[in-house]
Amino acid sequence: MQKLVTFAKARGIRLLNQELNDFLRTLSDIEHSMKQHYTFTLADKEILTGEAFRIYLNNMETYVDLLKAKMQDYIVVSVNGELPKSQYIHVPSDFLWQTGQPLVFGRGKKQQTIKNVVFQTPCAEHRFLDSWLEPNIAEYEVTDNLWPLYNMTHDMMDNHQIQRRFETLAREYTHQGLSVFTLYRVILSIENYWYGTET
Amino acid sequence: MEQKHNIVKAVIEQRQKLQEERFFIDLSVVEVREHVSIVRKREWLGIALTDSVETIILPSVFDDITFLSNSDYAMVCIDGLWGIFNVNNGQWGVFPVCYKLTVHYDYATIELCTEEGNGLFFLKEDRMVVPPLYNDVTCWADGAYLWVRQGSCFHFVRKTDGLFVSLPDAIKAYDTSQGMFAMTPNRIVFCADDEGLDNTQLLRQVVRRGNGRARLYNYKEHNMDIIDIYGYVLNNL
């Protein structure tokens, strides 16, 4: 943690000397208060691995947070409202994320209609943590498949190693061109789907 | 600028008249370059054909002439003011109104410094691509949009027709043929359209093509930034 504080100080950022867990808790708080960004219409192929967005379904109170895993695959980070739990959704290759688009979601394969699509973007804290974990993150291109990292994260969580090996795991993400912003969402999705807790 | 143009024109005419009166003095060759040579008549220089020195391309009324290597251009000075002369077609690229010319050989451009401001001459297109009106200008002219600086803000000029695209938020601009990319004060890079509005789709397209990273250069400042899909600068944090 001391290294992180020194690193922050060198860049003119004042960081309290707290435990890494506290720092991650701060990150989690940021996530909850994070601003939603602009609405968009994008094709599946136009979205990069690790990008996150929220889709509002049927009425605006029901939403699903998604994370692009690979072409046509989207990890369900969390669901709200009466929607069933789901690990991921698979969309056709010509699928367009836009208002009015029908989407088959959940185990019941019920067709829903997208009411709105809103981007979620990382903030300064995520970028700061990324550059601390991997100062050369700029040199790493973004992977086209998140599933191997998802499985690695899942294994670590299963074996209760996530606390001890968090730094290694996070560094693995940055080496695949991904941010802790994505890692945080993968952890949430695993928690919500496999361990049944909704954060 | 026009006033300065007229003054220089008058000086040229006056010196030409004086040289005509010195018809008995022969021209001497100072420097030969393929088919053209720099010639001297008393204190002033001109340009003539190498094979026949009597065939004048530029009269011997100038204080200094320097050929640009690997091009058809010469930098010409009169009364402390510099211009760009195309020796191939015998036309002025830029009339001598600049107090300084900076040649960027790597990019085939010449930066023009006048009392009104800085502009850019592009040798490949034989024309001034940015009028000399700004505090600073890029040295790279291969793209469709070229950045300029006015005060502390960066803007773009469309090369084809000189359309000025105002970006009041930009604190840095990049040299790229992919569009107008600039940085906001909070270090986020954005892409602008012809109206100066955010063109997120284009930025995403460029970053996606680079597998999640886009390298943006500023050739004048000799630096590069690498951005992600959100426009965040990942290097130089």
Side-chain angles (χ1 to χ4, degrees):
Chain A
M1 186 61 204
Q2 193 51 46
K3 269 199 300 183
L4 182 60
V5 173
T6 317
F7 179 83
K9 206 174 167 186
R11 277 148 188 83
I13 301 165
R14 188 169 165 270
L15 197 69
L16 293 174
N17 198 351
Q18 55 190 349
E19 292 299 314
L20 184 61
N21 276 348
D22 289 345
F23 187 75
L24 292 174
R25 205 167 295 128
T26 311
L27 206 60
S28 155
D29 292 343
I30 292 158
E31 295 277 342
H32 287 294
S33 62
M34 218 167 69
K35 276 183 190 167
Q36 302 289 313
H37 288 261
Y38 56 90
T39 9
F40 69 102
T41 299
L42 282 178
D44 168 58
K45 63 177 183 185
E46 291 175 320
I47 301 171
L48 271 183
T49 306
E51 279 200 86
F53 54 92
R54 175 171 289 183
I55 50 167
Y56 290 89
L57 299 169
N58 302 333
N59 58 62
M60 290 294 278
E61 282 162 16
T62 310
Y63 63 76
V64 185
D65 285 337
L66 296 170
L67 183 67
K68 172 107 178 223
K70 66 169 200 166
M71 287 293 267
Q72 299 175 253
D73 279 2
Y74 293 83
I75 294 168
V76 175
V77 177
S78 59
V79 290
N80 173 281
E82 293 165 1
L83 291 169
K85 275 208 306 188
S86 186
Q87 187 189 10
Y88 74 100
I89 53 175
H90 185 81
V91 295
S93 59
D94 58 350
F95 190 81
L96 273 180
W97 291 101
Q98 64 178 6
T99 306
Q101 182 81 9
L103 177 75
V104 176
F105 182 81
R107 286 194 183 119
K109 300 286 177 197
K110 199 181 159 196
Q111 183 164 304
Q112 317 270 346
T113 305
I114 297 175
K115 291 289 178 194
N116 203 3
V117 187
V118 182
F119 245 128
Q120 294 169 327
T121 63
C123 49
E125 284 78 0
H126 296 108
R127 291 165 51 215
F128 172 72
L129 197 53
D130 289 339
S131 63
W132 175 68
L133 288 160
E134 179 46 70
N136 293 325
I137 190 168
E139 301 300 329
Y140 295 93
E141 289 184 354
V142 177
T143 178
D144 55 8
N145 190 356
L146 183 59
W147 286 119
L149 284 172
Y150 178 94
N151 293 335
M152 184 194 272
T153 314
H154 193 185
D155 282 349
M156 280 195 189
M157 286 174 79
D158 261 355
N159 299 323
H160 305 287
Q161 292 178 328
I162 193 84
Q163 291 269 7
R164 195 163 50 83
R165 298 184 59 198
F166 181 80
E167 208 174 308
T168 316
L169 179 66
R171 209 156 266 144
E172 202 61 51
Y173 272 70
T174 56
H175 289 173
Q176 299 291 323
L178 299 168
S179 164
V180 288
F181 169 79
T182 303
L183 166 60
Y184 185 78
R185 273 161 179 71
V186 170
I187 293 172
L188 276 186
S189 73
I190 294 168
E191 259 185 22
N192 292 339
Y193 183 73
W194 296 100
Y195 304 111
T197 54
E198 189 71 53
T199 314
Chain B
M1 179 104 83
E2 202 173 325
Q3 198 186 357
K4 193 138 262 178
H5 189 281
N6 291 338
I7 293 170
V8 173
K9 218 170 157 184
V11 173
I12 291 174
E13 279 167 12
Q14 191 188 7
R15 288 186 183 184
Q16 249 177 319
K17 213 171 161 188
L18 203 68
Q19 291 289 47
E20 276 164 23
E21 288 167 10
R22 297 161 169 174
F23 63 92
F24 47 88
I25 302 174
D26 283 338
L27 289 169
S28 59
V29 176
V30 176
E31 187 186 331
V32 178
R33 200 182 126 181
E34 294 169 13
H35 64 291
V36 288
S37 299
I38 297 175
V39 290
R40 180 187 290 277
K41 190 169 181 182
R42 291 287 292 268
E43 66 270 51
W44 296 317
L45 303 169
I47 298 174
L49 281 184
T50 305
D51 295 340
S52 109
V53 181
E54 291 75 32
T55 314
I56 303 293
I57 297 172
L58 192 66
S60 307
V61 294
F62 296 93
D63 302 319
D64 196 357
I65 295 177
T66 311
F67 284 132
L68 290 181
S69 53
N70 301 320
S71 82
D72 294 327
Y73 295 89
M75 295 197 296
V76 178
C77 177
I78 184 164
D79 254 11
L81 294 171
W82 290 86
I84 303 164
F85 187 75
N86 186 332
V87 291
N88 213 25
N89 62 17
Q91 301 286 318
W92 285 106
V94 176
F95 197 72
V97 287
C98 309
Y99 64 81
K100 193 172 104 184
L101 295 176
T102 308
V103 185
H104 300 284
Y105 284 105
D106 291 348
Y107 310 113
T109 56
I110 302 175
E111 198 177 329
L112 319 168
C113 304
T114 69
E115 276 177 0
E116 284 75 19
N118 295 9
L120 196 69
F121 185 84
F122 193 26
L123 297 170
K124 282 185 198 166
E125 294 183 9
D126 188 25
R127 68 185 183 97
M128 195 193 293
V129 284
V130 177
L133 299 169
Y134 308 98
N135 294 136
D136 197 7
V137 64
T138 177
C139 59
W140 176 87
D142 282 317
Y145 298 89
L146 312 176
W147 65 257
V148 294
R149 182 175 61 78
Q150 256 180 336
S152 56
C153 286
F154 286 79
H155 310 280
F156 280 89
V157 170
R158 191 161 65 188
K159 198 169 73 175
T160 48
D161 56 3
L163 173 83
F164 181 76
V165 181
S166 174
L167 304 176
D169 266 354
I171 56 153
K172 182 177 181 180
Y174 298 95
D175 297 300
T176 167
S177 52
Q178 303 184 93
M180 289 178 271
F181 286 79
M183 186 196 272
T184 61
N186 49 0
R187 284 179 56 81
I188 294 175
V189 172
F190 67 99
C191 178
D193 63 13
D194 283 354
E195 287 163 2
L197 303 172
D198 225 353
N199 188 349
T200 312
Q201 294 283 38
L202 182 58
L203 183 138
R204 291 181 58 83
Q205 203 180 62
V206 171
V207 177
R208 231 179 28 248
R209 272 203 297 261
N211 293 324
R213 302 285 183 260
R215 287 177 151 72
L216 298 171
Y217 297 87
N218 183 309
Y219 295 119
K220 189 95 181 258
E221 291 173 15
H222 303 287
N223 64 29
M224 175 195 69
D225 285 333
I226 303 175
I227 61 163
D228 66 6
I229 196 89
Y230 309 104
Y232 291 141
V233 177
L234 300 175
N235 60 328
N236 305 322
L237 191 82

